Amino acid sequence: MERHFEASLRDLKNQLVLMAGHVERAIGNAIEGLKKKDFTLISSVYAIEDTINQESMTLDETCVKLLALHQPLAADLRLLIAIIKMNTDLERMGDLAVNIAHDSEDYLQGTPLKQLVNLPIMCAEVQGMVRESINSFVSKNEKLADEVLQRDDLVDNLKSKIKNDVAEVLKTRPHDVNQGLHLILIARHLERIGDHATNIAEDVIYVISGKDIRHGHVARTK
Amino acid sequence: MRPLLDVQNLSAWFGKQQALKNISLGVNPNSVTAIIGPSGCGKSTFIRCLNRLHEEIAGAFLQGNAWLEEENILSAQVDPVSLRRKIGMVFQRPNPFPSMSIYDNVASGLTLSGIKRKSVLNEVVEKNLKLAALWDEVKDKLSQAGSSLSGGQQQRLCIARALAIGPKVLLMDEPTSALDPISTAKIEELINELKQEVTIVIVTHNMQQAARISDKTAFFLLGDLVEFAPTSELFTSPKDERTERYITGRFG
């Protein structure tokens, strides 16, 4: 017989995965809107973010109830703690998708700068990290979570390259500094989303193995 | 750190039925060690071996060693009665001597060993009622019967009585299972204070209690010691799948 608590945990995981789906969509719409110069797609991000915020609050409330009523231990405790943290990361990703949407709208209203090859690469990489971090949680796959961690450096490098590319363009077009800033900020938001995906991957490893690998630290090896 | 109490290869039987299987476990001085496990796992038997109560049961016997500092307390040469002055015990249900006053309950260990001087007894009674966090509640009614107190107060009286003979180790067998949440919280707070004075081994069915009050936790199952680890580790990342299953309520 499945215990009530196990059913509640399963529902909670489903809630988180549903919210993660909305976060992926918000990030995807912001990026696609920028690529296709589609203002309708970009503005859809704001409504999705409202949904994400509601889901985040509901998740928090459920977590507090489960902690208070069931006082979970061991793997159950690790899962619940990780979900609380992942919830925060996902909610922040939603905010960053909104930031990308704002900067994209402003950028698209001005004169476009030269096509930046690294921006689409970075977008794809960050979307991949988000997707795989969630997949590693759903499939309890430590190896997949570890692969997400390995991708973080690549995203950081891409952000630096974009910043340098923009600086190079602005040398010949100094009056387009605002346009350049929007692109740098978009790269910055993407990089932060990658950081949150990394946090989620670290939480997945903690749930599975009990190892705390944040900041290069291994607190406990099973 | 050298354990104060070092149990080595302890096995215990009730007739043909083996209740403990080759248990080895070290208890650090001035620490609280919790023993958890499902009913019938041997946790009460384990602590009853440590002050030689196990062998009082007809047909029960044990083998193995348990060193309290330099003395093997399971050796046949050790007198169980004198051992119990070094290893005291508090039971599940408060059991003050019903015909004795609060004062006499605490002083009983000393008076039984021939100490009669009132000044000594007064000092011991006050000191240990204070240690048991009961003094303020009973100082004006020391001559009343111990049984007139509430359940939680009676249990603290039993703790004061056990402490009065100056044990090195205090064994507690589910000391709060018959108490309400407020009395339980007082006893838990007391345990935390008492470890400055005495080393505590507590059997509890309440895992949250073990998590709150103990430094190390031992998980027993079917007479085996499955896992013994710092409490914070055992309750967050147990190494053994059986521990994991028990503390997350999958069985037991």
Side-chain angles (χ1 to χ4, degrees):
Chain A
M1 187 181 72
E2 187 181 48
R3 292 179 313 148
H4 173 64
F5 179 63
E6 284 172 56
S8 303
L9 270 186
R10 199 187 52 240
D11 289 346
L12 188 69
K13 278 201 263 188
N14 290 340
Q15 275 184 52
L16 188 86
V17 173
L18 182 70
M19 177 182 171
H22 290 140
V23 170
E24 279 192 72
R25 192 142 65 87
I27 297 167
N29 286 6
I31 289 171
E32 282 304 301
L34 173 64
K35 275 188 206 163
K36 295 176 179 167
K37 300 175 183 167
D38 182 340
F39 284 91
T40 312
L41 198 54
I42 292 173
S43 62
S44 72
V45 174
Y46 307 127
I48 301 172
E49 200 242 353
D50 282 344
T51 308
I52 292 167
N53 289 344
Q54 284 304 319
E55 289 170 331
S56 174
M57 289 199 297
T58 308
L59 257 173
D60 263 348
E61 206 176 299
T62 313
C63 288
V64 168
K65 265 188 204 163
L66 288 177
L67 277 173
L69 301 182
H70 296 275
Q71 298 160 14
L73 293 169
D76 294 340
L77 176 64
R78 297 202 302 272
L79 176 63
L80 210 48
I81 296 291
I83 286 178
I84 291 168
K85 292 167 71 185
M86 288 161 76
N87 181 24
T88 305
D89 281 310
L90 287 169
E91 194 273 333
R92 285 294 298 135
M93 285 182 185
D95 292 344
L96 290 163
V98 165
N99 291 352
I100 293 173
H102 283 312
D103 280 308
S104 297
E105 282 173 337
D106 291 345
Y107 176 76
L108 291 173
Q109 279 162 7
T111 313
L113 289 187
K114 183 188 97 170
Q115 190 72 36
L116 298 173
V117 288
N118 285 316
L119 191 59
I121 298 172
M122 187 178 185
C123 289
E125 195 57 35
V126 168
Q127 283 181 286
M129 283 177 75
V130 174
R131 189 172 52 249
E132 296 306 308
S133 65
I134 301 303
N135 284 347
S136 71
F137 173 68
V138 173
S139 58
K140 296 181 187 166
N141 187 333
E142 192 173 348
K143 188 168 169 284
L144 193 58
D146 198 48
E147 283 168 15
V148 173
L149 303 182
Q150 308 309 320
R151 295 164 82 168
D152 193 40
D153 285 347
L154 174 61
V155 167
D156 290 349
N157 288 337
L158 284 165
K159 190 200 81 175
S160 297
K161 280 183 184 167
I162 290 167
K163 195 180 80 180
N164 293 339
D165 290 348
V166 170
E168 203 55 42
V169 172
L170 290 181
K171 280 180 187 167
T172 55
R173 296 172 58 179
H175 52 282
D176 282 332
V177 65
N178 276 342
Q179 290 295 82
L181 277 176
H182 288 311
L183 287 180
I184 289 172
L185 282 172
I186 288 169
R188 166 81 182 141
H189 302 321
L190 286 168
E191 186 235 344
R192 291 294 300 133
I193 290 173
D195 289 343
H196 288 295
T198 302
N199 291 348
I200 290 176
E202 288 169 345
D203 288 335
V204 170
I205 291 169
Y206 175 67
V207 170
I208 296 169
S209 66
K211 286 183 282 190
D212 183 354
I213 56 144
R214 290 172 302 167
H215 315 298
H217 171 70
V218 179
R220 175 159 165 79
T221 306
K222 275 194 96 169
Chain B
M1 187 187 294
R2 187 167 171 234
L4 175 74
L5 181 62
D6 193 6
V7 180
Q8 296 170 352
N9 307 313
L10 172 62
S11 295
W13 287 263
F14 293 99
K16 286 181 180 165
Q17 192 190 340
Q18 189 168 4
L20 289 175
K21 301 170 190 167
N22 215 28
I23 307 293
S24 294
L25 179 156
V27 176
N28 290 334
N30 300 101
S31 68
V32 178
T33 300
I35 314 286
I36 62 167
S39 298
C41 69
K43 54 190 187 300
S44 288
T45 303
F46 176 72
I47 64 166
R48 289 170 66 86
C49 286
L50 299 180
N51 77 342
R52 308 279 294 267
L53 276 176
H54 175 68
E55 61 210 67
E56 305 281 337
I57 299 166
F61 61 101
L62 56 83
Q63 67 181 38
N65 301 307
W67 298 89
L68 179 65
E69 295 175 326
E70 305 304 324
E71 183 180 38
N72 183 2
I73 58 173
L74 301 184
S75 146
Q77 279 74 50
V78 170
D79 169 30
V81 176
S82 61
L83 171 67
R84 287 172 200 143
R85 305 184 71 80
K86 295 176 190 164
I87 301 186
M89 188 144 181
V90 174
F91 296 87
Q92 189 171 354
R93 292 203 166 272
N95 57 351
F97 301 128
S99 59
M100 283 189 192
S101 67
I102 293 168
Y103 183 100
D104 288 343
N105 260 282
V106 181
S108 58
L110 296 181
T111 48
L112 279 172
S113 55
I115 296 171
K116 298 262 173 8
R117 273 183 64 182
K118 197 70 181 165
S119 60
V120 174
L121 294 178
N122 286 349
E123 192 182 323
V124 167
V125 168
E126 180 172 342
K127 179 187 167 199
N128 289 288
L129 282 171
K130 280 180 176 167
L131 271 178
L134 190 59
W135 175 252
D136 288 341
E137 294 163 57
V138 301
K139 63 184 177 196
D140 299 323
K141 49 180 178 181
L142 292 173
S143 58
Q144 285 185 18
S147 53
S148 66
L149 299 173
S150 73
Q153 288 173 324
Q154 285 187 28
Q155 193 63 306
R156 280 181 282 147
L157 178 61
C158 293
I159 291 171
R161 185 179 63 191
L163 292 173
I165 50 174
K168 291 181 171 155
V169 178
L170 187 60
L171 307 171
M172 303 179 113
D173 192 357
E174 298 184 49
T176 62
S177 62
L179 304 182
D180 65 76
I182 303 292
S183 303
T184 296
K186 280 188 182 166
I187 301 273
E188 287 182 5
E189 195 54 42
L190 176 59
I191 288 170
N192 199 33
E193 295 289 322
L194 280 181
K195 72 175 178 180
Q196 315 295 329
E197 305 286 329
V198 65
T199 300
I200 295 170
V201 181
I202 178 171
V203 166
T204 177
H205 264 299
N206 181 332
M207 282 182 283
Q208 271 70 30
Q209 180 172 75
R212 282 193 294 268
I213 63 173
S214 67
D215 301 294
K216 291 182 89 172
T217 299
F219 170 56
F220 280 52
L221 182 66
L222 299 169
D224 286 310
L225 173 59
V226 172
E227 190 164 349
F228 182 46
T231 299
S232 58
E233 285 181 14
L234 191 127
F235 283 109
T236 54
S237 301
K239 286 183 178 159
D240 194 288
E241 182 63 24
R242 291 167 293 175
T243 317
E244 173 85 44
R245 285 173 53 75
Y246 179 69
I247 65 177
T248 55
R250 264 72 177 181
F251 75 82

